[in-house]
Amino acid sequence: MAAAKPRPLVAGNWKMNGLRRSLATLDAVAAGYDASLKARADLLVCPPATLLSAFAQRAVGTRVAIGGQDCHAREAGAYTGEISAEMLADAGASAVILGHSERRQYFLETDAIVAEKTLAAWRAGLVAIVCVGETQAEREAGKTLSVVRRQLRRSIPAGATPANLVVAYEPVWAIGTGLTPTARDVAEVHALIRGDLRRIVGAAAAGQVRILYGGSVKPSNAAELMGVDNVDGALVGGASLKAEDFLGIAAAYRD
Ligand code: PEP
């Protein structure tokens, strides 16, 4: 008998967007997360750190989980402007996005830094959503699979389990551009990730780790992308800022 698939996750990365009035968007997402969706998929909203606490309080009783977008590797100390995984957890987060390509590109995060942050997330009891993905130049050079493999190997430390790790495949050239890979390309990379997860979490657990696709997911392409083998949900940027669009993407999992 084939093992059950993991429960899908649709996560919204708000990036540096959102003010207190954005609580209304969270309310709308929670209100739209009706029984048919609840039965099929988890929803996670990752607002900027300034809103975490307010979002987490507002989300109590709604089943929408709240996550952070990054964390520092240390628990506390003289790191001006930084936020630790423990602080995220204390504010009500249950997960944190790590190694997003914008962090890798603009803040020069290496795989080694992402691995340290992943350990920090686990130390604080958070689910680490580790992002991997190739640039346009790497894709054109035929290096997609080797880049993703290297990022997986170096960014995920020992100790990963289906309960503490989510992998997000986000081709850098698809983020915020409106471009998406073909379903076939997504299937190829997700199959590779699933295969490598056998080494990372063991063969028995590999099928239970959620692998999200991210990069220009919107309501109009969600059903196709979410229907690809080994795609267990989405990491959504721009379209997560509007409740209607975010729920429209999650609707790919409605009965
Ligand atoms: C992202 O930044 O994680 C992302 C997927 O962005 P977008 O959906 O806007 O492409």
Side-chain angles (χ1 to χ4, degrees):
M1 198 176 74
K5 288 185 174 185
R7 185 175 159 84
L9 170 67
V10 179
N13 173 13
W14 280 29
K15 311 192 185 188
M16 198 172 71
N17 296 291
L19 300 170
R20 280 194 69 83
R21 61 172 179 261
S22 314
L23 278 164
T25 305
L26 175 66
D27 290 343
V29 168
Y33 190 22
D34 60 18
S36 94
L37 193 46
K38 260 183 212 155
R40 304 274 318 274
D42 293 328
L43 289 191
L44 174 74
V45 171
C46 301
T50 47
L51 293 176
L52 261 180
S53 209
F55 269 45
Q57 281 168 33
R58 192 77 149 240
V60 170
T62 68
R63 303 264 319 259
V64 177
I66 304 300
Q69 298 176 11
D70 180 38
C71 70
H72 193 274
R74 298 279 170 87
E75 187 174 344
Y79 300 99
T80 302
E82 291 294 304
I83 296 174
S84 70
E86 282 74 9
M87 290 170 179
L88 295 178
D90 189 51
S94 56
V96 59
I97 299 168
L98 296 172
H100 189 279
S101 65
E102 287 151 17
R103 299 291 320 170
R104 292 178 186 264
Q105 185 183 347
Y106 303 136
F107 303 95
L108 309 182
E109 286 192 9
T110 60
D111 292 327
I113 292 173
V114 178
E116 282 180 12
K117 292 184 173 192
T118 301
L119 283 175
W122 295 343
R123 185 185 67 217
L126 300 176
V127 174
I129 303 175
V130 176
C131 303
V132 296
E134 81 287 0
T135 63
Q136 177 83 50
E138 289 163 341
R139 172 158 285 262
E140 282 165 8
K143 293 184 178 160
T144 298
L145 299 184
S146 61
V147 166
V148 168
R149 272 219 137 121
R150 189 206 68 222
Q151 290 176 330
L152 284 174
R153 192 174 61 246
R154 297 189 186 161
S155 305
I156 302 173
T161 70
N164 69 16
L165 176 72
V166 171
V167 175
Y169 169 54
E170 298 211 305
V172 179
W173 52 272
I175 294 178
T177 58
L179 303 171
T180 51
T182 64
R184 211 169 145 175
D185 289 339
V186 173
E188 184 182 28
V189 179
H190 279 238
L192 174 103
I193 295 171
R194 185 73 71 205
D196 280 12
L197 282 169
R198 296 169 70 84
R199 177 187 51 73
I200 295 167
V201 297
Q208 291 307 306
V209 177
R210 293 184 280 195
I211 310 174
L212 311 184
Y213 167 77
S216 296
V217 181
K218 41 191 189 234
S220 58
N221 62 18
E224 188 192 0
L225 289 164
M226 299 305 102
V228 173
D229 271 357
N230 290 306
V231 173
D232 307 307
L235 180 52
V236 185
S240 69
L241 294 169
K242 280 195 189 152
E244 196 189 337
D245 290 350
F246 190 52
L247 289 165
I249 290 167
Y253 290 107
R254 263 183 219 286
D255 290 326

